[in-house]
Amino acid sequence: MATELTKQSRILILGGGTWGCSTALHLARRGYTNVTVLDAHPIPSPISAGNDVNKIVEQACFTDGDDEAAVAQALLHAANQGWENDPIFKPYLHATGYIVAGSTPESIQRVVDREVRHQIASFKKLTTAEDFRKTMPEGVLTGDFPGWEGYYKNTGAGWVHARKALVSAYNEAKRLGVTFITGTPEGKVASLLQKDGDVRGAVTADGKEHLADRTILSMGANAPQLLDFENQLRPTAWTLAHIAMTEEETKLYKDLPVLFNIEKGFFMEPDEDKHELKLCDEHPGYCNWVQQPGSALPQSVPVAKHEVPVSSERRMREFLREIMPHLADRPFTFARMCWCADTRNRAFLITYHPRHPSLVVASGDSGHGYMHIPSIGGFIADTLENKLEAKFAKSWRWRPETAREFWGHDKLDRFGAGNKMLDLKETETEGWTCISQSSV
């Protein structure tokens, strides 16, 4: 049986990424005085999905749908309230508007159904290359946009500076008294500390036991290395790269709307600090399949790599040739695999473990977890305090019955790269990118 939870209870958070730092911040704000975070890397961790120059933020509006749609709408509302009003996060929001597009009848219809249908009056339809070019300053979009059809909204949504917001949450949590133990071996979690059928903390790589009254497992794609999730999580990676821009180009590209083709890729304005433009190729995701001893089903195991497969680079350059051909051959200055943890229905997994009464799992971001950093820690704190609203508790429950069979090849309603899941092992014949450190 778990001990009674008080504001003085020892709370141990495993993972100092997006959700870990958000949870630490919210717990400190609620008056918890004994919160410790463990992470194998100094924050921001180089392997954290949140350690990025920018992320898309949505402000979609769903006016009908099922219970999951209601949860999604409530989540978006809470996140946007945080981005717009919380002083820890507000400075990093860029509400520049956005363009969402497709290139095939299937993807274009998906854009209409998911992004546009309920707020069609606020969008301008884009059907020609000139339509797309007019959404940005002259000289930015120079491509022919072959087969593209999209919608432009100049208010709402946009992007956030991910790394700066993550560091802001970390600094505020630390100021409020949260203890962060980072680096290897002292912050690297080697195993959960199990006693009498419960989880009572964690053991770090230096052999130290960190005792806790409650343990929160928020290690993203690495969480399955510590706990059997009964096939509910699939570590999945996406790919990104940066290209260098001149100071003049950085000024020209400032305050641009996000451009996102759901089967080609997306880009946002250049990073103002390094003058680098980030771009991503869109696809259902990469997995790294490994047959683990004693497991009937193969498991996807994250591989931290600051490179991307050559096939990914090729897709990014094809994307650029369609929208900004003047940048298509510019060398990459940075690239990485960005790992997240999918669930089969892409709903979060935030709940007490059914067999470990002192363990809260907080995982399953499913590729859309970062934008919730202002608010997700509050939902995790509600879970800890057993006061999470029923609609969230139902959606985010422990649900192994949904994952009895192998679902690793399910693309989860994502497009791009042939509309199928990608296997890292299949990239071995072409290899990986060679990143240039040269500038323009």
Side-chain angles (χ1 to χ4, degrees):
M1 180 179 293
T3 59
E4 181 184 359
L5 182 68
T6 70
K7 293 298 173 66
Q8 292 74 44
S9 294
R10 296 167 299 177
I11 300 174
L12 185 65
I13 301 173
L14 309 184
T18 301
W19 286 15
C21 283
S22 180
T23 303
L25 173 62
H26 279 269
L27 289 174
R29 283 176 164 177
R30 292 188 186 191
Y32 287 89
T33 60
N34 196 350
V35 179
T36 300
V37 179
L38 299 177
D39 198 285
H41 300 276
I43 296 170
S45 164
I47 66 171
S48 170
N51 186 0
D52 199 352
V53 294
N54 48 42
K55 298 284 189 186
I56 297 173
V57 291
E58 304 175 62
Q59 289 185 337
C61 177
F62 309 96
T63 58
D64 57 23
D66 57 15
D67 291 344
E68 291 299 329
V71 168
Q73 183 173 351
L75 268 175
L76 285 172
H77 177 74
N80 283 306
Q81 287 296 304
W83 287 116
E84 293 169 5
N85 301 304
D86 191 325
I88 301 303
F89 301 103
K90 185 177 180 179
Y92 310 108
L93 171 65
H94 300 260
T96 57
Y98 69 117
I99 300 160
V100 60
S103 300
T104 62
E106 183 185 9
S107 65
I108 292 169
Q109 188 60 48
R110 180 69 175 83
V111 166
V112 173
D113 291 343
R114 174 64 174 81
E115 302 283 348
V116 177
R117 180 165 57 93
H118 296 304
Q119 41 186 338
I120 188 67
S122 63
F123 280 93
K124 178 182 179 181
K125 189 173 183 179
L126 310 174
T127 57
T128 69
E130 188 61 22
D131 288 341
F132 282 95
R133 292 177 193 143
K134 286 181 178 178
T135 63
M136 299 188 188
E138 184 177 357
V140 174
L141 299 178
T142 57
D144 293 330
F145 293 83
W148 283 52
E149 185 172 304
Y151 294 83
Y152 169 51
K153 182 181 180 182
N154 63 4
T155 60
W159 64 277
V160 295
H161 198 297
R163 182 180 63 251
K164 290 181 179 179
L166 174 61
V167 171
S168 180
Y170 159 69
N171 285 335
E172 179 65 4
K174 190 166 57 172
R175 187 188 72 81
L176 293 174
V178 175
T179 298
F180 287 83
I181 302 174
T182 63
T184 301
E186 60 272 20
K188 180 178 175 59
V189 179
S191 65
L192 299 177
L193 181 60
Q194 299 196 36
K195 293 184 178 180
D196 302 323
D198 199 358
V199 170
R200 301 294 188 181
V203 181
T204 45
D206 58 0
K208 182 176 180 179
E209 293 186 351
H210 298 263
L211 297 174
D213 299 304
R214 297 290 190 279
T215 302
I216 301 173
L217 177 56
S218 60
M219 291 178 59
N222 289 303
Q225 298 179 37
L226 294 177
L227 179 72
D228 180 6
F229 278 84
E230 300 182 68
N231 201 38
Q232 294 176 84
L233 294 186
R234 180 187 68 188
T236 307
W238 285 271
T239 39
L240 64 90
H242 296 181
I243 56 177
M245 308 288 280
T246 65
E247 186 172 348
E248 292 74 18
E249 287 172 329
T250 300
K251 292 178 181 177
L252 178 65
Y253 281 57
K254 185 173 176 57
D255 296 326
L256 300 183
V258 173
L259 187 150
F260 179 26
N261 184 309
I262 69 170
E263 59 187 333
K264 297 285 186 175
F266 60 89
F267 86 96
M268 286 159 273
E269 71 177 68
D271 176 27
E272 62 185 3
D273 298 324
K274 293 187 176 182
H275 295 178
E276 291 181 339
L277 182 77
K278 169 190 160 184
L279 60 144
C280 300
D281 57 322
E282 187 64 16
H283 51 74
Y286 283 95
C287 288
N288 177 44
W289 295 109
V290 175
Q291 188 64 53
Q292 301 282 26
S295 176
L297 300 175
Q299 306 294 314
S300 179
V301 178
V303 178
K305 206 169 183 70
H306 281 77
E307 295 178 90
V308 295
V310 168
S311 55
S312 173
E313 176 177 1
R314 183 166 56 246
R315 287 190 297 271
M316 290 188 210
R317 296 198 183 283
E318 289 171 355
F319 172 59
L320 285 174
R321 289 188 182 97
E322 294 189 4
I323 64 169
M324 298 183 291
H326 57 288
L327 300 179
D329 296 319
R330 199 166 290 191
F332 289 171
T333 55
F334 176 82
R336 70 177 287 208
M337 306 292 294
C338 186
W339 288 91
C340 296
D342 277 328
T343 64
R344 193 166 191 175
N345 66 349
R346 297 182 67 181
F348 298 159
L349 184 60
I350 303 174
T351 182
Y352 271 100
H353 192 280
R355 294 181 296 280
H356 304 305
S358 300
L359 175 66
V360 171
V361 295
S363 193
D365 62 289
S366 298
H368 61 104
Y370 181 83
M371 75 157 289
H372 300 286
I373 187 174
S375 54
I376 195 66
F379 291 108
I380 296 170
D382 285 347
T383 301
L384 185 79
E385 296 175 342
N386 284 309
K387 62 181 186 183
L388 186 66
E389 284 186 55
K391 64 184 176 184
F392 298 115
K394 178 183 177 182
S395 177
W396 303 341
R397 71 190 185 280
W398 188 262
R399 48 191 189 276
E401 70 279 0
T402 67
R404 301 293 188 198
E405 306 294 330
F406 179 73
W407 56 278
H409 299 318
D410 191 334
K411 67 186 184 74
L412 303 182
D413 198 28
R414 298 181 179 121
F415 291 83
N419 296 340
K420 64 179 182 179
M421 291 299 299
L422 304 172
D423 189 337
L424 276 185
K425 292 184 174 59
E426 295 175 2
T427 70
E428 293 175 355
T429 55
E430 288 190 294
W432 298 77
T433 53
C434 180
I435 304 303
S436 169
Q437 296 301 320
S438 61
S439 59
V440 177

